[in-house]
Amino acid sequence: MNDQRHAHTKAMRKRREQLLGKAYHLFYDDPVHIVRGEGVFLYDADGKKYLDVYNNVPHVGHCHPHVARAVSEQLQTLNTHTRYLHETVLDYAEKLTARFPDGLDITMFACTGTEANELAMRLARAKTGATGMIVTDHAYHGNSWAVSQITTAEHSREKRGDNIATVPAPDTYRGLYADDSQAAEKYAEHVYAAIDTLALNGHRPAAFIVDTIFTNEGLPTVPATYLAKAVEIVHQAGGLFVADEVQPGFGRLGTNFWGFESHGVVPDITTLGKPMGNGYPVSAVVTTTEIIEAFQQDDHYFNTFGGTPVACAAALAVLEVIEQEDLQTNARKTGDYLLHGLQQLKDTYEIVGDVRGSGLFIGIDLVRDRDTREPATNQARKVVNLLKDRGVLIGSTGRYENVLKIRPPMVFSTENADMLLQRLDEVLKENLGSE
Ligand code: PLP
């Protein structure tokens, strides 16, 4: 960065802090000032090009022309709300629910993943008459007051209501039952304990909610039968299962369109967000008629900006691009290619403890020691910053922030994968320090 640019960035940061306050965080030690995006690339104010390996919201690629056109045309025609009849809203709901197992036929619209999860909590309470929520102990589900209660990664136990009980994230690499062939059963058993904890506090479980790729938990390799067993226990106790598909949904995992499908479970409620409108704010809850029947007995739902004709035009265009460009297949093929390349890096560099994931959702677990699997948190931070300097934007996740998170737009190609692998190879060669 030249001196002039450095001074400008510094001034912008100061202005931002004055105007937005200190509660907002920026990525990177030297934050980037992005001004344009196209496909898998972002460009900063100096025209420097970055490969975007981080952003899943521009699901079909930054500023995809088909989505931009659909939004623009609808915006120039009409934008109201869901209290008027509108074909596009219905067309979208029909096309979306066709992607779900039979029975999950109803779509309710909101604007953010948080709102979708809050609505899911309300639906579960209405259907079960219960108030308890079961969630993993390092989850992210959103930022409203109610939803931050189940965002256990950020809301400490002391700040949570006694109707929230946690279970350990089903981590087979670093966790209670790492490398244990009985991990599925053992992790699932914790759901019984959570139900007991709720009972001690006078609650029955309304729902068990998980992000079906466990992003915030560090993208662990989940034992195959874990979720089905855990959900069975919740159902036996009268609770529902909510699949939060905000991260893995819309074909990202390559093998399946939804994350829950890869666990062989059918949710009672599903929540969608981030990638749904390629950046246009739209989210949804997809559930059953039976659950809505229970909810509407003494409640109703309206969300001013949720599911407007423009929001649905954006969402419809996203589904069309996924189909026309066969992006789920691309996620599978490019993801497999990338996983193979990353395995080779693992064979070369001691710091790469584990490589895991599916499709275009991959985690690289960096460790200080292969045997103890001690998380290499500081090194992960350095890798993220060094990659940025080399024109690759990536993030990290997990309880120790040591898992590099690969989650690019779905148009990511094998050529893009090669660029990532090459830059990663360069960075891992550097002295990343031992602390
Ligand atoms: N659920 C999951 C799994 C998420 O990762 C997020 C956001 O990162 C949300 C819900 C909340 O979505 P939003 O930020 O749109 O409210």
Side-chain angles (χ1 to χ4, degrees), residues 367-403:
V367 293
R368 292 183 61 188
D369 179 314
R370 280 252 177 116
D371 295 327
T372 63
R373 300 181 184 178
E374 188 187 339
T377 305
N378 291 339
Q379 289 80 356
R381 187 188 164 96
K382 281 184 196 154
V383 170
V384 168
N385 279 288
L386 288 168
L387 279 174
K388 188 266 297 176
D389 294 343
R390 284 175 167 72
V392 173
L393 301 182
I394 199 170
S396 62
T397 188
R399 193 183 298 274
Y400 309 100
E401 289 289 332
N402 68 313
V403 180

PDB file of all heavy atoms in Angstrom, residues 367-403:
ATOM      1  N   VAL A 367      -3.124 -26.463  12.944  1.00  0.00           N
ATOM      2  CA  VAL A 367      -2.742 -26.918  14.289  1.00  0.00           C
ATOM      3  C   VAL A 367      -1.287 -26.560  14.593  1.00  0.00           C
ATOM      4  O   VAL A 367      -0.457 -26.474  13.685  1.00  0.00           O
ATOM      5  CB  VAL A 367      -2.914 -28.457  14.427  1.00  0.00           C
ATOM      6  CG1 VAL A 367      -4.388 -28.842  14.353  1.00  0.00           C
ATOM      7  CG2 VAL A 367      -2.110 -29.215  13.376  1.00  0.00           C
ATOM      8  N   ARG A 368      -0.999 -26.385  15.856  1.00  0.00           N
ATOM      9  CA  ARG A 368       0.393 -26.120  16.256  1.00  0.00           C
ATOM     10  C   ARG A 368       1.152 -27.424  16.381  1.00  0.00           C
ATOM     11  O   ARG A 368       2.379 -27.444  16.349  1.00  0.00           O
ATOM     12  CB  ARG A 368       0.407 -25.378  17.595  1.00  0.00           C
ATOM     13  CG  ARG A 368      -0.151 -23.970  17.454  1.00  0.00           C
ATOM     14  CD  ARG A 368      -0.067 -23.217  18.743  1.00  0.00           C
ATOM     15  NE  ARG A 368       1.323 -23.085  19.170  1.00  0.00           N
ATOM     16  CZ  ARG A 368       1.700 -22.609  20.342  1.00  0.00           C
ATOM     17  NH1 ARG A 368       0.781 -22.214  21.194  1.00  0.00           N
ATOM     18  NH2 ARG A 368       2.964 -22.517  20.671  1.00  0.00           N
ATOM     19  N   ASP A 369       0.388 -28.497  16.564  1.00  0.00           N
ATOM     20  CA  ASP A 369       1.013 -29.805  16.757  1.00  0.00           C
ATOM     21  C   ASP A 369       0.032 -30.859  16.237  1.00  0.00           C
ATOM     22  O   ASP A 369      -1.115 -30.904  16.676  1.00  0.00           O
ATOM     23  CB  ASP A 369       1.273 -29.971  18.267  1.00  0.00           C
ATOM     24  CG  ASP A 369       1.897 -31.301  18.619  1.00  0.00           C
ATOM     25  OD1 ASP A 369       1.419 -32.327  18.114  1.00  0.00           O
ATOM     26  OD2 ASP A 369       2.861 -31.299  19.409  1.00  0.00           O
ATOM     27  N   ARG A 370       0.509 -31.672  15.308  1.00  0.00           N
ATOM     28  CA  ARG A 370      -0.369 -32.692  14.718  1.00  0.00           C
ATOM     29  C   ARG A 370      -0.898 -33.692  15.737  1.00  0.00           C
ATOM     30  O   ARG A 370      -2.006 -34.202  15.597  1.00  0.00           O
ATOM     31  CB  ARG A 370       0.406 -33.459  13.641  1.00  0.00           C
ATOM     32  CG  ARG A 370       0.491 -32.717  12.326  1.00  0.00           C
ATOM     33  CD  ARG A 370      -0.411 -33.393  11.310  1.00  0.00           C
ATOM     34  NE  ARG A 370      -0.395 -32.656  10.067  1.00  0.00           N
ATOM     35  CZ  ARG A 370       0.065 -33.135   8.928  1.00  0.00           C
ATOM     36  NH1 ARG A 370       0.533 -34.362   8.869  1.00  0.00           N
ATOM     37  NH2 ARG A 370       0.034 -32.409   7.841  1.00  0.00           N
ATOM     38  N   ASP A 371      -0.076 -34.000  16.761  1.00  0.00           N
ATOM     39  CA  ASP A 371      -0.500 -35.012  17.734  1.00  0.00           C
ATOM     40  C   ASP A 371      -1.517 -34.460  18.723  1.00  0.00           C
ATOM     41  O   ASP A 371      -2.550 -35.067  18.972  1.00  0.00           O
ATOM     42  CB  ASP A 371       0.711 -35.568  18.501  1.00  0.00           C
ATOM     43  CG  ASP A 371       1.634 -36.327  17.566  1.00  0.00           C
ATOM     44  OD1 ASP A 371       1.097 -36.938  16.607  1.00  0.00           O
ATOM     45  OD2 ASP A 371       2.857 -36.290  17.764  1.00  0.00           O
ATOM     46  N   THR A 372      -1.196 -33.281  19.268  1.00  0.00           N
ATOM     47  CA  THR A 372      -2.123 -32.731  20.271  1.00  0.00           C
ATOM     48  C   THR A 372      -3.298 -32.000  19.607  1.00  0.00           C
ATOM     49  O   THR A 372      -4.298 -31.736  20.236  1.00  0.00           O
ATOM     50  CB  THR A 372      -1.416 -31.722  21.206  1.00  0.00           C
ATOM     51  OG1 THR A 372      -0.971 -30.622  20.394  1.00  0.00           O
ATOM     52  CG2 THR A 372      -0.251 -32.356  21.930  1.00  0.00           C
ATOM     53  N   ARG A 373      -3.112 -31.652  18.343  1.00  0.00           N
ATOM     54  CA  ARG A 373      -4.136 -30.917  17.579  1.00  0.00           C
ATOM     55  C   ARG A 373      -4.435 -29.546  18.204  1.00  0.00           C
ATOM     56  O   ARG A 373      -5.553 -29.030  18.104  1.00  0.00           O
ATOM     57  CB  ARG A 373      -5.425 -31.737  17.437  1.00  0.00           C
ATOM     58  CG  ARG A 373      -5.169 -33.029  16.712  1.00  0.00           C
ATOM     59  CD  ARG A 373      -6.395 -33.878  16.515  1.00  0.00           C
ATOM     60  NE  ARG A 373      -5.999 -35.143  15.891  1.00  0.00           N
ATOM     61  CZ  ARG A 373      -6.810 -36.134  15.614  1.00  0.00           C
ATOM     62  NH1 ARG A 373      -8.086 -36.039  15.902  1.00  0.00           N
ATOM     63  NH2 ARG A 373      -6.369 -37.238  15.032  1.00  0.00           N
ATOM     64  N   GLU A 374      -3.451 -29.025  18.889  1.00  0.00           N
ATOM     65  CA  GLU A 374      -3.623 -27.703  19.497  1.00  0.00           C
ATOM     66  C   GLU A 374      -3.887 -26.677  18.391  1.00  0.00           C
ATOM     67  O   GLU A 374      -3.135 -26.607  17.410  1.00  0.00           O
ATOM     68  CB  GLU A 374      -2.348 -27.320  20.266  1.00  0.00           C
ATOM     69  CG  GLU A 374      -2.509 -26.071  21.079  1.00  0.00           C
ATOM     70  CD  GLU A 374      -1.174 -25.634  21.687  1.00  0.00           C
ATOM     71  OE1 GLU A 374      -0.263 -26.472  21.808  1.00  0.00           O
ATOM     72  OE2 GLU A 374      -1.069 -24.454  22.037  1.00  0.00           O
ATOM     73  N   PRO A 375      -4.953 -25.897  18.515  1.00  0.00           N
ATOM     74  CA  PRO A 375      -5.319 -24.979  17.428  1.00  0.00           C
ATOM     75  C   PRO A 375      -4.260 -23.905  17.178  1.00  0.00           C
ATOM     76  O   PRO A 375      -3.730 -23.333  18.133  1.00  0.00           O
ATOM     77  CB  PRO A 375      -6.611 -24.324  17.929  1.00  0.00           C
ATOM     78  CG  PRO A 375      -7.039 -25.082  19.124  1.00  0.00           C
ATOM     79  CD  PRO A 375      -5.877 -25.829  19.656  1.00  0.00           C
ATOM     80  N   ALA A 376      -3.969 -23.642  15.911  1.00  0.00           N
ATOM     81  CA  ALA A 376      -2.982 -22.614  15.541  1.00  0.00           C
ATOM     82  C   ALA A 376      -3.732 -21.315  15.234  1.00  0.00           C
ATOM     83  O   ALA A 376      -3.795 -20.858  14.085  1.00  0.00           O
ATOM     84  CB  ALA A 376      -2.169 -23.088  14.348  1.00  0.00           C
ATOM     85  N   THR A 377      -4.276 -20.730  16.292  1.00  0.00           N
ATOM     86  CA  THR A 377      -5.127 -19.546  16.120  1.00  0.00           C
ATOM     87  C   THR A 377      -4.360 -18.357  15.542  1.00  0.00           C
ATOM     88  O   THR A 377      -4.803 -17.735  14.567  1.00  0.00           O
ATOM     89  CB  THR A 377      -5.750 -19.164  17.484  1.00  0.00           C
ATOM     90  OG1 THR A 377      -6.430 -20.319  17.985  1.00  0.00           O
ATOM     91  CG2 THR A 377      -6.707 -18.003  17.356  1.00  0.00           C
ATOM     92  N   ASN A 378      -3.213 -18.044  16.127  1.00  0.00           N
ATOM     93  CA  ASN A 378      -2.440 -16.887  15.638  1.00  0.00           C
ATOM     94  C   ASN A 378      -1.957 -17.099  14.214  1.00  0.00           C
ATOM     95  O   ASN A 378      -1.967 -16.177  13.395  1.00  0.00           O
ATOM     96  CB  ASN A 378      -1.235 -16.617  16.551  1.00  0.00           C
ATOM     97  CG  ASN A 378      -1.685 -16.114  17.894  1.00  0.00           C
ATOM     98  OD1 ASN A 378      -2.809 -15.611  18.023  1.00  0.00           O
ATOM     99  ND2 ASN A 378      -0.849 -16.272  18.904  1.00  0.00           N
ATOM    100  N   GLN A 379      -1.545 -18.317  13.921  1.00  0.00           N
ATOM    101  CA  GLN A 379      -1.060 -18.619  12.581  1.00  0.00           C
ATOM    102  C   GLN A 379      -2.198 -18.496  11.569  1.00  0.00           C
ATOM    103  O   GLN A 379      -1.999 -18.009  10.452  1.00  0.00           O
ATOM    104  CB  GLN A 379      -0.460 -20.034  12.531  1.00  0.00           C
ATOM    105  CG  GLN A 379       0.868 -20.172  13.256  1.00  0.00           C
ATOM    106  CD  GLN A 379       0.731 -20.321  14.775  1.00  0.00           C
ATOM    107  OE1 GLN A 379      -0.370 -20.251  15.325  1.00  0.00           O
ATOM    108  NE2 GLN A 379       1.849 -20.511  15.449  1.00  0.00           N
ATOM    109  N   ALA A 380      -3.389 -18.917  11.972  1.00  0.00           N
ATOM    110  CA  ALA A 380      -4.544 -18.810  11.055  1.00  0.00           C
ATOM    111  C   ALA A 380      -4.800 -17.338  10.725  1.00  0.00           C
ATOM    112  O   ALA A 380      -5.056 -16.969   9.579  1.00  0.00           O
ATOM    113  CB  ALA A 380      -5.780 -19.445  11.690  1.00  0.00           C
ATOM    114  N   ARG A 381      -4.677 -16.511  11.740  1.00  0.00           N
ATOM    115  CA  ARG A 381      -4.878 -15.075  11.530  1.00  0.00           C
ATOM    116  C   ARG A 381      -3.831 -14.529  10.557  1.00  0.00           C
ATOM    117  O   ARG A 381      -4.133 -13.748   9.666  1.00  0.00           O
ATOM    118  CB  ARG A 381      -4.779 -14.368  12.891  1.00  0.00           C
ATOM    119  CG  ARG A 381      -5.141 -12.918  12.825  1.00  0.00           C
ATOM    120  CD  ARG A 381      -4.840 -12.215  14.146  1.00  0.00           C
ATOM    121  NE  ARG A 381      -4.853 -10.787  13.909  1.00  0.00           N
ATOM    122  CZ  ARG A 381      -5.895 -10.005  14.128  1.00  0.00           C
ATOM    123  NH1 ARG A 381      -6.985 -10.518  14.624  1.00  0.00           N
ATOM    124  NH2 ARG A 381      -5.841  -8.727  13.850  1.00  0.00           N
ATOM    125  N   LYS A 382      -2.595 -14.986  10.732  1.00  0.00           N
ATOM    126  CA  LYS A 382      -1.529 -14.530   9.820  1.00  0.00           C
ATOM    127  C   LYS A 382      -1.809 -15.007   8.402  1.00  0.00           C
ATOM    128  O   LYS A 382      -1.644 -14.249   7.439  1.00  0.00           O
ATOM    129  CB  LYS A 382      -0.167 -15.070  10.285  1.00  0.00           C
ATOM    130  CG  LYS A 382       0.396 -14.278  11.437  1.00  0.00           C
ATOM    131  CD  LYS A 382       1.787 -14.754  11.821  1.00  0.00           C
ATOM    132  CE  LYS A 382       2.133 -14.211  13.196  1.00  0.00           C
ATOM    133  NZ  LYS A 382       3.087 -14.994  13.932  1.00  0.00           N
ATOM    134  N   VAL A 383      -2.214 -16.248   8.273  1.00  0.00           N
ATOM    135  CA  VAL A 383      -2.495 -16.791   6.936  1.00  0.00           C
ATOM    136  C   VAL A 383      -3.588 -15.961   6.255  1.00  0.00           C
ATOM    137  O   VAL A 383      -3.467 -15.590   5.078  1.00  0.00           O
ATOM    138  CB  VAL A 383      -2.909 -18.290   7.026  1.00  0.00           C
ATOM    139  CG1 VAL A 383      -3.447 -18.796   5.692  1.00  0.00           C
ATOM    140  CG2 VAL A 383      -1.731 -19.143   7.476  1.00  0.00           C
ATOM    141  N   VAL A 384      -4.635 -15.648   7.001  1.00  0.00           N
ATOM    142  CA  VAL A 384      -5.744 -14.861   6.446  1.00  0.00           C
ATOM    143  C   VAL A 384      -5.237 -13.506   5.942  1.00  0.00           C
ATOM    144  O   VAL A 384      -5.557 -13.075   4.822  1.00  0.00           O
ATOM    145  CB  VAL A 384      -6.862 -14.688   7.505  1.00  0.00           C
ATOM    146  CG1 VAL A 384      -7.875 -13.638   7.083  1.00  0.00           C
ATOM    147  CG2 VAL A 384      -7.558 -16.020   7.771  1.00  0.00           C
ATOM    148  N   ASN A 385      -4.392 -12.857   6.740  1.00  0.00           N
ATOM    149  CA  ASN A 385      -3.872 -11.533   6.350  1.00  0.00           C
ATOM    150  C   ASN A 385      -2.879 -11.625   5.187  1.00  0.00           C
ATOM    151  O   ASN A 385      -2.894 -10.796   4.282  1.00  0.00           O
ATOM    152  CB  ASN A 385      -3.238 -10.840   7.557  1.00  0.00           C
ATOM    153  CG  ASN A 385      -4.292 -10.190   8.436  1.00  0.00           C
ATOM    154  OD1 ASN A 385      -4.883  -9.171   8.072  1.00  0.00           O
ATOM    155  ND2 ASN A 385      -4.579 -10.807   9.569  1.00  0.00           N
ATOM    156  N   LEU A 386      -2.022 -12.652   5.208  1.00  0.00           N
ATOM    157  CA  LEU A 386      -1.036 -12.800   4.128  1.00  0.00           C
ATOM    158  C   LEU A 386      -1.730 -13.139   2.804  1.00  0.00           C
ATOM    159  O   LEU A 386      -1.317 -12.670   1.734  1.00  0.00           O
ATOM    160  CB  LEU A 386      -0.015 -13.892   4.481  1.00  0.00           C
ATOM    161  CG  LEU A 386       0.975 -13.515   5.582  1.00  0.00           C
ATOM    162  CD1 LEU A 386       1.752 -14.743   6.059  1.00  0.00           C
ATOM    163  CD2 LEU A 386       1.948 -12.442   5.077  1.00  0.00           C
ATOM    164  N   LEU A 387      -2.768 -13.949   2.887  1.00  0.00           N
ATOM    165  CA  LEU A 387      -3.510 -14.281   1.654  1.00  0.00           C
ATOM    166  C   LEU A 387      -4.158 -13.022   1.086  1.00  0.00           C
ATOM    167  O   LEU A 387      -4.181 -12.810  -0.127  1.00  0.00           O
ATOM    168  CB  LEU A 387      -4.577 -15.345   1.939  1.00  0.00           C
ATOM    169  CG  LEU A 387      -4.082 -16.788   1.987  1.00  0.00           C
ATOM    170  CD1 LEU A 387      -5.203 -17.722   2.432  1.00  0.00           C
ATOM    171  CD2 LEU A 387      -3.550 -17.254   0.630  1.00  0.00           C
ATOM    172  N   LYS A 388      -4.674 -12.200   1.970  1.00  0.00           N
ATOM    173  CA  LYS A 388      -5.283 -10.939   1.510  1.00  0.00           C
ATOM    174  C   LYS A 388      -4.249 -10.100   0.766  1.00  0.00           C
ATOM    175  O   LYS A 388      -4.507  -9.583  -0.329  1.00  0.00           O
ATOM    176  CB  LYS A 388      -5.847 -10.184   2.719  1.00  0.00           C
ATOM    177  CG  LYS A 388      -6.658  -8.964   2.382  1.00  0.00           C
ATOM    178  CD  LYS A 388      -5.874  -7.678   2.376  1.00  0.00           C
ATOM    179  CE  LYS A 388      -5.299  -7.335   3.722  1.00  0.00           C
ATOM    180  NZ  LYS A 388      -4.464  -6.132   3.710  1.00  0.00           N
ATOM    181  N   ASP A 389      -3.054 -10.008   1.325  1.00  0.00           N
ATOM    182  CA  ASP A 389      -1.996  -9.240   0.642  1.00  0.00           C
ATOM    183  C   ASP A 389      -1.692  -9.816  -0.740  1.00  0.00           C
ATOM    184  O   ASP A 389      -1.325  -9.100  -1.655  1.00  0.00           O
ATOM    185  CB  ASP A 389      -0.704  -9.242   1.477  1.00  0.00           C
ATOM    186  CG  ASP A 389      -0.883  -8.489   2.786  1.00  0.00           C
ATOM    187  OD1 ASP A 389      -1.850  -7.711   2.895  1.00  0.00           O
ATOM    188  OD2 ASP A 389      -0.066  -8.710   3.706  1.00  0.00           O
ATOM    189  N   ARG A 390      -1.867 -11.130  -0.879  1.00  0.00           N
ATOM    190  CA  ARG A 390      -1.610 -11.784  -2.164  1.00  0.00           C
ATOM    191  C   ARG A 390      -2.865 -11.881  -3.040  1.00  0.00           C
ATOM    192  O   ARG A 390      -2.917 -12.646  -3.991  1.00  0.00           O
ATOM    193  CB  ARG A 390      -1.067 -13.191  -1.935  1.00  0.00           C
ATOM    194  CG  ARG A 390       0.369 -13.231  -1.510  1.00  0.00           C
ATOM    195  CD  ARG A 390       0.777 -14.655  -1.178  1.00  0.00           C
ATOM    196  NE  ARG A 390       2.211 -14.774  -1.056  1.00  0.00           N
ATOM    197  CZ  ARG A 390       2.922 -14.297  -0.039  1.00  0.00           C
ATOM    198  NH1 ARG A 390       2.306 -13.677   0.936  1.00  0.00           N
ATOM    199  NH2 ARG A 390       4.225 -14.449  -0.007  1.00  0.00           N
ATOM    200  N   GLY A 391      -3.898 -11.144  -2.674  1.00  0.00           N
ATOM    201  CA  GLY A 391      -5.076 -11.080  -3.538  1.00  0.00           C
ATOM    202  C   GLY A 391      -6.070 -12.220  -3.380  1.00  0.00           C
ATOM    203  O   GLY A 391      -6.797 -12.549  -4.322  1.00  0.00           O
ATOM    204  N   VAL A 392      -6.129 -12.805  -2.167  1.00  0.00           N
ATOM    205  CA  VAL A 392      -7.124 -13.857  -1.909  1.00  0.00           C
ATOM    206  C   VAL A 392      -7.849 -13.530  -0.607  1.00  0.00           C
ATOM    207  O   VAL A 392      -7.218 -13.399   0.443  1.00  0.00           O
ATOM    208  CB  VAL A 392      -6.459 -15.256  -1.801  1.00  0.00           C
ATOM    209  CG1 VAL A 392      -7.475 -16.302  -1.375  1.00  0.00           C
ATOM    210  CG2 VAL A 392      -5.828 -15.661  -3.128  1.00  0.00           C
ATOM    211  N   LEU A 393      -9.166 -13.401  -0.674  1.00  0.00           N
ATOM    212  CA  LEU A 393      -9.939 -13.083   0.532  1.00  0.00           C
ATOM    213  C   LEU A 393     -10.523 -14.362   1.121  1.00  0.00           C
ATOM    214  O   LEU A 393     -11.263 -15.088   0.460  1.00  0.00           O
ATOM    215  CB  LEU A 393     -11.067 -12.103   0.192  1.00  0.00           C
ATOM    216  CG  LEU A 393     -10.633 -10.761  -0.403  1.00  0.00           C
ATOM    217  CD1 LEU A 393     -11.846  -9.872  -0.651  1.00  0.00           C
ATOM    218  CD2 LEU A 393      -9.637 -10.034   0.511  1.00  0.00           C
ATOM    219  N   ILE A 394     -10.167 -14.613   2.354  1.00  0.00           N
ATOM    220  CA  ILE A 394     -10.618 -15.830   3.036  1.00  0.00           C
ATOM    221  C   ILE A 394     -10.896 -15.456   4.493  1.00  0.00           C
ATOM    222  O   ILE A 394     -10.456 -14.397   4.948  1.00  0.00           O
ATOM    223  CB  ILE A 394      -9.509 -16.921   2.908  1.00  0.00           C
ATOM    224  CG1 ILE A 394     -10.051 -18.325   3.166  1.00  0.00           C
ATOM    225  CG2 ILE A 394      -8.320 -16.635   3.798  1.00  0.00           C
ATOM    226  CD1 ILE A 394      -9.057 -19.427   2.808  1.00  0.00           C
ATOM    227  N   GLY A 395     -11.614 -16.311   5.209  1.00  0.00           N
ATOM    228  CA  GLY A 395     -11.872 -16.027   6.623  1.00  0.00           C
ATOM    229  C   GLY A 395     -11.539 -17.238   7.467  1.00  0.00           C
ATOM    230  O   GLY A 395     -11.031 -18.246   6.962  1.00  0.00           O
ATOM    231  N   SER A 396     -11.804 -17.128   8.761  1.00  0.00           N
ATOM    232  CA  SER A 396     -11.582 -18.290   9.627  1.00  0.00           C
ATOM    233  C   SER A 396     -12.796 -18.473  10.524  1.00  0.00           C
ATOM    234  O   SER A 396     -13.597 -17.558  10.721  1.00  0.00           O
ATOM    235  CB  SER A 396     -10.318 -18.100  10.470  1.00  0.00           C
ATOM    236  OG  SER A 396     -10.476 -16.979  11.292  1.00  0.00           O
ATOM    237  N   THR A 397     -12.931 -19.673  11.049  1.00  0.00           N
ATOM    238  CA  THR A 397     -14.094 -19.975  11.888  1.00  0.00           C
ATOM    239  C   THR A 397     -13.701 -20.985  12.962  1.00  0.00           C
ATOM    240  O   THR A 397     -12.545 -21.376  13.075  1.00  0.00           O
ATOM    241  CB  THR A 397     -15.263 -20.498  11.015  1.00  0.00           C
ATOM    242  OG1 THR A 397     -16.435 -20.610  11.822  1.00  0.00           O
ATOM    243  CG2 THR A 397     -14.957 -21.860  10.383  1.00  0.00           C
ATOM    244  N   GLY A 398     -14.702 -21.399  13.730  1.00  0.00           N
ATOM    245  CA  GLY A 398     -14.476 -22.396  14.774  1.00  0.00           C
ATOM    246  C   GLY A 398     -14.273 -21.745  16.128  1.00  0.00           C
ATOM    247  O   GLY A 398     -14.019 -20.551  16.239  1.00  0.00           O
ATOM    248  N   ARG A 399     -14.370 -22.570  17.148  1.00  0.00           N
ATOM    249  CA  ARG A 399     -14.236 -22.101  18.530  1.00  0.00           C
ATOM    250  C   ARG A 399     -12.912 -21.372  18.754  1.00  0.00           C
ATOM    251  O   ARG A 399     -12.813 -20.444  19.533  1.00  0.00           O
ATOM    252  CB  ARG A 399     -14.297 -23.331  19.450  1.00  0.00           C
ATOM    253  CG  ARG A 399     -14.475 -23.061  20.898  1.00  0.00           C
ATOM    254  CD  ARG A 399     -14.441 -24.374  21.663  1.00  0.00           C
ATOM    255  NE  ARG A 399     -15.517 -25.269  21.270  1.00  0.00           N
ATOM    256  CZ  ARG A 399     -16.726 -25.238  21.800  1.00  0.00           C
ATOM    257  NH1 ARG A 399     -17.010 -24.369  22.738  1.00  0.00           N
ATOM    258  NH2 ARG A 399     -17.646 -26.076  21.385  1.00  0.00           N
ATOM    259  N   TYR A 400     -11.867 -21.801  18.040  1.00  0.00           N
ATOM    260  CA  TYR A 400     -10.534 -21.208  18.226  1.00  0.00           C
ATOM    261  C   TYR A 400     -10.127 -20.341  17.032  1.00  0.00           C
ATOM    262  O   TYR A 400      -8.967 -19.935  16.941  1.00  0.00           O
ATOM    263  CB  TYR A 400      -9.488 -22.322  18.428  1.00  0.00           C
ATOM    264  CG  TYR A 400      -9.902 -23.288  19.493  1.00  0.00           C
ATOM    265  CD1 TYR A 400     -10.466 -24.523  19.154  1.00  0.00           C
ATOM    266  CD2 TYR A 400      -9.786 -22.962  20.839  1.00  0.00           C
ATOM    267  CE1 TYR A 400     -10.882 -25.413  20.129  1.00  0.00           C
ATOM    268  CE2 TYR A 400     -10.204 -23.848  21.823  1.00  0.00           C
ATOM    269  CZ  TYR A 400     -10.758 -25.068  21.458  1.00  0.00           C
ATOM    270  OH  TYR A 400     -11.182 -25.934  22.429  1.00  0.00           O
ATOM    271  N   GLU A 401     -11.055 -20.102  16.130  1.00  0.00           N
ATOM    272  CA  GLU A 401     -10.780 -19.277  14.945  1.00  0.00           C
ATOM    273  C   GLU A 401      -9.545 -19.772  14.188  1.00  0.00           C
ATOM    274  O   GLU A 401      -8.805 -18.979  13.619  1.00  0.00           O
ATOM    275  CB  GLU A 401     -10.572 -17.799  15.342  1.00  0.00           C
ATOM    276  CG  GLU A 401     -11.848 -17.099  15.788  1.00  0.00           C
ATOM    277  CD  GLU A 401     -12.825 -16.838  14.640  1.00  0.00           C
ATOM    278  OE1 GLU A 401     -12.372 -16.700  13.499  1.00  0.00           O
ATOM    279  OE2 GLU A 401     -14.049 -16.787  14.908  1.00  0.00           O
ATOM    280  N   ASN A 402      -9.344 -21.078  14.197  1.00  0.00           N
ATOM    281  CA  ASN A 402      -8.149 -21.624  13.537  1.00  0.00           C
ATOM    282  C   ASN A 402      -8.494 -22.420  12.284  1.00  0.00           C
ATOM    283  O   ASN A 402      -7.630 -23.053  11.693  1.00  0.00           O
ATOM    284  CB  ASN A 402      -7.397 -22.550  14.501  1.00  0.00           C
ATOM    285  CG  ASN A 402      -8.201 -23.813  14.794  1.00  0.00           C
ATOM    286  OD1 ASN A 402      -9.396 -23.722  15.090  1.00  0.00           O
ATOM    287  ND2 ASN A 402      -7.596 -24.970  14.691  1.00  0.00           N
ATOM    288  N   VAL A 403      -9.773 -22.410  11.917  1.00  0.00           N
ATOM    289  CA  VAL A 403     -10.190 -23.184  10.740  1.00  0.00           C
ATOM    290  C   VAL A 403     -10.411 -22.216   9.580  1.00  0.00           C
ATOM    291  O   VAL A 403     -11.310 -21.369   9.630  1.00  0.00           O
ATOM    292  CB  VAL A 403     -11.492 -23.980  11.038  1.00  0.00           C
ATOM    293  CG1 VAL A 403     -11.923 -24.787   9.809  1.00  0.00           C
ATOM    294  CG2 VAL A 403     -11.314 -24.884  12.243  1.00  0.00           C
TER     295      VAL A 403
END
